[in-house]
Amino acid sequence: MAVNYRRCPVCGSKNSIKIIYGYPGPEIMEKAQAGELKLGGCCLFGDDPEYYCKDCESQWNKQQALDAAYRRIKVIKASISRYFRDRYNVEINLENRKVTVTYWDGGEEEITRKTIRQTTADKLPEQIKSVNLLFWKRRYVDPLTLDGTQWSAELLSDERTIKIYGSNQYPEEWDAFCRIISKVTGKSFR
Ligand SMILES: [Zn+2]
């Protein structure tokens, strides 16, 4: 799983503890006194924070941690390659908003570069969240099909790179992902 909910969305620290609700028993009380967890009180309001940052005192829940993880993605790369037929390579940089699409179908390679609008770049984290990109498996491989179609997706943030590889097998959201890439780049990707 690619999301660390304990990471503080504000300062990036992983020095966080869980917030516990309800009436605390002696064990919980002891842990709270030792600073291993934080007491959240007895009442829940629906979107209560679940984690507390010991470094900057921010509080957040899983949903906010997930949004922050998608917003930290700086570069998205994706590729599709069909043996002896065609090949797509896409790179979207959300920091400088530069997009490069390389397409090859047997002839000369076609390279398109453009700069996307700020509003388009701002919307992208929410869009890739809608296809659950951070929850995709690392490999989707159909062992019975050779050649055929290979694809990849890569997510780069400051602290890490996530690489996903596929061969003739796809996550459920693959088509929706391809539509997002096509729309952002203005070029076919499928
Ligand atoms: Zn923090």
Side-chain angles (χ1 to χ4, degrees):
M1 227 277 297
V3 182
N4 181 358
Y5 294 110
R6 301 195 80 121
R7 188 192 161 102
C8 174
V10 178
C11 76
S13 166
K14 287 169 190 157
N15 185 18
S16 65
I17 49 176
K18 278 205 132 187
I19 302 173
I20 303 291
Y21 293 89
Y23 187 79
E27 203 182 317
I28 298 280
M29 213 59 181
E30 208 174 290
K31 283 190 172 167
Q33 268 152 13
E36 288 165 27
L37 51 82
K38 188 174 162 63
L39 299 177
C42 58
C43 305
L44 282 162
F45 298 97
D47 57 350
D48 308 81
E50 295 164 70
Y51 301 94
Y52 170 83
C53 176
K54 288 173 112 178
D55 290 340
C56 78
E57 298 184 352
S58 295
Q59 301 185 37
W60 65 95
N61 59 30
K62 283 205 177 75
Q63 210 39 250
Q64 289 160 328
L66 192 56
D67 286 339
Y70 279 102
R71 279 196 305 271
R72 276 197 299 274
I73 295 168
K74 292 190 167 166
V75 177
I76 301 168
K77 293 182 189 177
S79 74
I80 301 175
S81 153
R82 294 176 189 90
Y83 267 108
F84 300 112
R85 232 182 88 193
D86 55 9
R87 192 170 62 224
Y88 296 87
N89 275 298
V90 173
E91 182 171 330
I92 301 167
N93 186 318
L94 287 167
E95 265 193 319
N96 62 19
R97 294 183 280 121
K98 293 213 184 310
V99 166
T100 309
V101 181
T102 310
Y103 177 65
W104 172 87
D105 66 352
E108 195 139 326
E109 210 170 49
E110 180 193 309
I111 301 175
T112 312
R113 289 190 180 87
K114 70 171 193 172
T115 304
I116 54 171
R117 285 201 245 170
Q118 189 65 54
T119 48
T120 308
D122 290 345
K123 269 191 251 163
L124 203 51
E126 191 59 38
Q127 286 177 308
I128 55 172
K129 187 186 168 201
S130 77
V131 296
N132 296 314
L133 207 55
L134 287 175
F135 293 94
W136 288 11
K137 293 188 293 183
R138 299 303 164 96
R139 282 170 72 79
Y140 292 85
V141 174
D142 175 0
L144 300 176
T145 311
L146 293 174
D147 301 344
T149 306
Q150 273 72 49
W151 61 271
S152 70
E154 213 175 308
L155 311 170
L156 286 77
S157 64
D158 278 339
E159 74 270 19
R160 63 179 178 175
T161 299
I162 297 170
K163 283 183 182 171
I164 303 160
Y165 170 78
S167 179
N168 302 297
Q169 206 177 77
Y170 307 87
E172 206 182 305
E173 303 92 341
W174 175 251
D175 289 340
F177 173 71
C178 290
R179 281 196 296 275
I180 292 168
I181 297 294
S182 294
K183 199 150 186 232
V184 170
T185 60
K187 289 274 170 185
S188 153
F189 181 82
R190 60 197 168 93

